[in-house]
Amino acid sequence: MENVREKILVMSGKGGVGKSTVAVNLAVWLSQQGKQVGLLDVDIHGPSVPKLLNLDKKAIKGGAVIEPVAYSDNLKVMSIGFLLPNENNAVIWRGPMKHNLIKQFLTEVYWGPLDYLVIDCPPGTGDELLSVVQLMENPDGAVIVTTPQQIAVLDVKKCITFCKQLNLPVLGVIENMSGLVCPHCQNRIDVFKSGGGEQMAKEFDIPFLGSIPIDAAVVSSCDSGNPFLNSDNNNPTAQALESAFKPLLMNEE
Ligand SMILES: Nc1ncnc2c1ncn2[C@@H]1O[C@H](COP(=O)(O)OP(=O)(O)OP(=O)(O)O)[C@@H](O)[C@H]1O
Ligand SMILES: [Mg+2]
């Protein structure tokens, strides 16, 4: 970990809001900026990263270290998904075993020197998240993902409180699934309302990084394992993602 310049956790108190989508696209975008990037998936019960990057290779244990899987020249990936015999296997473990695996992920994976390590966290503020934050020496901060509706924001606020209690800086909030532009009439439909994430950021006095619209192309890119920002970036969703990520790069420079 001492060879990693900036460690960013992508988290949310709520499931299914797009943490893994944001984490994967953030890692890909940082690698497109010429940075050396690692992406660590610590969602032990629902690892999404292998599917989102269409990686079914296995991580290799060589002596005392685990070699991460290379997605590209400057993006390396590690996930429990690489260690399971097949993708339908369930991990049925209690807290201490999960803690040990996370410890191995944080101490035995040979990343080499990295500019960024992006960590895709499981939903909630339970065991795994606590292990990651406590075992990792000085993570630089958290990117919090929420959707706009109150039922999500309510849980995500707990995540911000969690960060405060553990002295983990919040780098910013991303409001995902914020409005849908109808492909037929071009009118905007606020399926999950809009503005909830921005308002939460104001309330807690933390940076608001931006809103990402609902876009069927994001679902297709996730399902096909080709990250959204790998394709044509000249569309409002890609631009929204990029402008949400830019301040994270500037934090470092
Ligand atoms: N902006 C978006 N527009 C449309 N679909 C999206 C958007 N963001 C994410 N999705 C879709 O929502 C689903 C859930 O996303 P994802 O797996 O990234 O969420 P998550 O928060 O990581 O979930 P979990 O809590 O299970 O880890 C996926 O099918 C993804 O393609
Ligand atoms: Mg996820």
Side-chain angles (χ1 to χ4, degrees), residues 19-20 43 48 120:
K19 293 176 291 301
S20 301
D43 193 339
S48 304
D120 180 19

mmCIF file of all heavy atoms in Angstrom, residues 19-20 43 48 120, ligand 2:
data_model
loop_
_atom_site.group_PDB
_atom_site.id
_atom_site.type_symbol
_atom_site.label_atom_id
_atom_site.label_comp_id
_atom_site.label_asym_id
_atom_site.label_seq_id
_atom_site.Cartn_x
_atom_site.Cartn_y
_atom_site.Cartn_z
ATOM 1 N N LYS A 19 -22.684 1.988 -7.556
ATOM 2 C CA LYS A 19 -21.304 2.082 -7.034
ATOM 3 C C LYS A 19 -20.309 1.403 -7.967
ATOM 4 O O LYS A 19 -19.282 1.959 -8.307
ATOM 5 C CB LYS A 19 -21.179 1.366 -5.667
ATOM 6 C CG LYS A 19 -21.926 1.990 -4.549
ATOM 7 C CD LYS A 19 -21.817 1.152 -3.286
ATOM 8 C CE LYS A 19 -22.557 -0.175 -3.363
ATOM 9 N NZ LYS A 19 -23.984 -0.095 -3.612
ATOM 10 N N SER A 20 -20.627 0.151 -8.349
ATOM 11 C CA SER A 20 -19.666 -0.599 -9.173
ATOM 12 C C SER A 20 -19.523 0.047 -10.546
ATOM 13 O O SER A 20 -18.416 0.117 -11.093
ATOM 14 C CB SER A 20 -20.116 -2.052 -9.315
ATOM 15 O OG SER A 20 -20.224 -2.636 -8.039
ATOM 16 N N ASP A 43 -16.455 -6.327 -2.652
ATOM 17 C CA ASP A 43 -17.817 -6.831 -2.447
ATOM 18 C C ASP A 43 -17.749 -8.360 -2.504
ATOM 19 O O ASP A 43 -17.780 -8.963 -3.579
ATOM 20 C CB ASP A 43 -18.748 -6.263 -3.523
ATOM 21 C CG ASP A 43 -20.211 -6.499 -3.178
ATOM 22 O OD1 ASP A 43 -20.482 -7.412 -2.373
ATOM 23 O OD2 ASP A 43 -21.075 -5.784 -3.719
ATOM 24 N N SER A 48 -18.916 -7.552 -8.652
ATOM 25 C CA SER A 48 -19.441 -7.195 -9.977
ATOM 26 C C SER A 48 -18.343 -6.888 -10.970
ATOM 27 O O SER A 48 -18.571 -6.900 -12.181
ATOM 28 C CB SER A 48 -20.315 -5.931 -9.874
ATOM 29 O OG SER A 48 -21.345 -6.111 -8.955
ATOM 30 N N ASP A 120 -14.072 -0.678 -4.931
ATOM 31 C CA ASP A 120 -15.524 -0.818 -5.073
ATOM 32 C C ASP A 120 -16.052 -1.537 -3.837
ATOM 33 O O ASP A 120 -15.745 -2.703 -3.603
ATOM 34 C CB ASP A 120 -15.831 -1.626 -6.353
ATOM 35 C CG ASP A 120 -17.321 -1.807 -6.571
ATOM 36 O OD1 ASP A 120 -18.118 -1.040 -5.991
ATOM 37 O OD2 ASP A 120 -17.690 -2.735 -7.329
HETATM 38 MG MG MG B 2 -21.626 -3.141 -6.610
#
